[in-house]
Amino acid sequence: PLYDFSDSLDGGRPKAEAAADAMRRIFPGVDARAVSLQVPMPAHSVSASEAAATRAAAAELDALVAAHDVVFLLTDSRESRWLPAMLGALHAKVVLCVALGFDSYVAMRHGVKSGSGSMNLGCYFCNDVVAPADSLSDRSLDQQCTVTRPGLAPIAAGTAVELLASVVQHPLGGLAPPPPPTADGDAGDSAVFGAPPHQIRGYLAGFRQHAIVGQAYDRCTACSDVVLDAYRQHGFDFLLRVFNNVVVDEAAPHVPTNQAPPTPDYSYLETLTGLAALHRQTDDIMANIEWSEDGDEGSDDGFEQL
């Protein structure tokens, strides 16, 4: 293990520092460098006095992602994964994401854009129709952290490492297609470890494991073209609008503004990607549906649609 009880004494050591030291103890030949970094996050507002430090942190993270071949997303909150996920898509890196529940986990690889710009496999955020928000403020420690069964983290971590091994040993690397949903074993793939799946979802209740595939979403808040283009064109100014969740005109989301939303209906990312418009369309459809009570004994819910 990378951590032991001594790492938690006297206020605790920085996790990156303790992990790098442990790796060097396990294998002295490893090239491991610890970087303690405050990852900027969507909906975690940045004041004027914090802007310079936040800009430096975002630039350092960008440089770290660009300089490495593989990125593991193992942070504690959904919003803290957004910036490295976006940068991984921008730099076409292999990104492995692991998330834990109480007795379930997901280990997945993000899709990698090819030279043609296509990316069929989704990222961690592609299944979401809401942008990452502040899940940490005004919450107790037990609400911020996931309590898990004791063996879950090692199982998820081992699965992610084996998934990476399958990807790097495949001739297509990060562009390797996942096996068909009905395939058994290596599905005839000629790679050393067979076709690497897209997502592995495991459940200790019943000790089940499923390999599934999720397609990239053109309105994804992390890997969609509109988000990547916004970062390319506007850099830190774009990130600052994401962090501060500024109010913008849907017709011109890149127009600079310092207006802070008191109670916005939709976040900046939701407006930029078109998720806000999607929500409004859905609300309009639901508003035009009329329901009435149905006394028919054959009705399951007591209502019928008019």
Side-chain angles (χ1 to χ4, degrees):
L2 297 181
Y3 307 104
D4 56 33
F5 180 72
S6 63
D7 295 320
S8 66
L9 299 178
D10 301 321
R13 299 180 62 198
K15 293 175 68 175
E17 177 186 306
D21 287 347
M23 292 176 68
R24 285 189 288 267
R25 285 198 306 271
I26 295 169
F27 177 54
V30 71
D31 181 7
R33 179 170 65 95
V35 178
S36 294
L37 184 68
Q38 187 75 30
V39 178
M41 298 179 283
H44 290 251
S45 52
V46 177
S47 66
S49 62
E50 299 170 325
T54 303
R55 181 191 292 271
E60 183 175 10
L61 183 59
D62 191 329
L64 286 170
V65 172
H68 290 78
D69 298 317
V70 180
V71 177
F72 278 90
L73 295 185
L74 310 172
T75 54
D76 292 332
S77 69
R78 180 169 171 256
E79 63 262 34
S80 63
R81 298 171 187 239
W82 177 81
L83 183 54
M86 187 272 288
L87 294 173
L90 179 77
H91 295 295
K93 299 298 182 178
V94 174
V95 178
L96 280 297
C97 183
V98 181
L100 306 178
F102 169 68
D103 59 359
S104 61
Y105 70 89
V106 59
M108 64 178 294
R109 60 184 174 111
H110 290 190
V112 177
K113 286 187 179 293
S114 65
S116 62
S118 62
M119 181 176 68
N120 294 325
L121 296 181
C123 77
Y124 180 68
F125 295 93
C126 277
N127 286 337
D128 296 331
V129 293
V130 293
D134 184 357
S135 65
L136 303 176
S137 298
D138 301 322
R139 296 195 178 191
S140 60
L141 185 61
D142 63 304
Q143 291 176 315
Q144 296 179 33
C145 299
T146 302
V147 178
T148 69
R149 289 178 57 171
L152 191 71
I155 293 172
T159 301
V161 169
E162 288 300 329
L163 178 57
L164 174 62
S166 296
V167 170
V168 298
Q169 292 296 327
H170 196 282
L172 297 178
L175 298 175
T182 57
D184 295 325
D186 61 7
D189 195 288
S190 59
V192 176
F193 295 142
H198 177 217
Q199 302 180 36
I200 302 102
R201 294 183 178 266
Y203 307 88
L204 288 187
F207 293 90
R208 294 172 291 118
Q209 184 171 279
H210 304 289
I212 63 175
V213 177
Q215 300 300 316
Y217 185 31
D218 61 359
R219 298 184 184 185
C220 175
T221 58
C223 71
S224 62
D225 287 337
V226 66
V227 171
L228 301 184
D229 289 342
Y231 181 67
R232 291 189 186 100
Q233 295 174 20
H234 303 279
F236 183 70
D237 288 338
F238 160 71
L239 295 182
L240 203 58
R241 291 194 283 274
V242 174
F243 303 151
N244 289 333
N245 203 18
V246 298
V247 173
V248 293
D249 184 347
E250 289 191 39
H254 297 305
V255 175
T257 175
N258 294 320
Q259 181 183 1
T263 53
D265 292 329
Y266 303 102
S267 73
Y268 171 74
L269 281 173
E270 290 166 349
T271 303
L272 175 68
T273 58
L275 286 178
L278 178 66
H279 281 286
R280 291 192 181 95
Q281 293 169 4
T282 304
D283 291 341
D284 290 342
I285 293 173
M286 295 301 296
N288 291 325
I289 295 179
E290 297 182 3
W291 303 87
S292 68
E293 287 195 37
D294 179 17
D296 187 356
E297 294 180 357
S299 174
D300 292 334
D301 54 12
F303 292 88
E304 66 175 355
Q305 181 180 343
L306 294 180

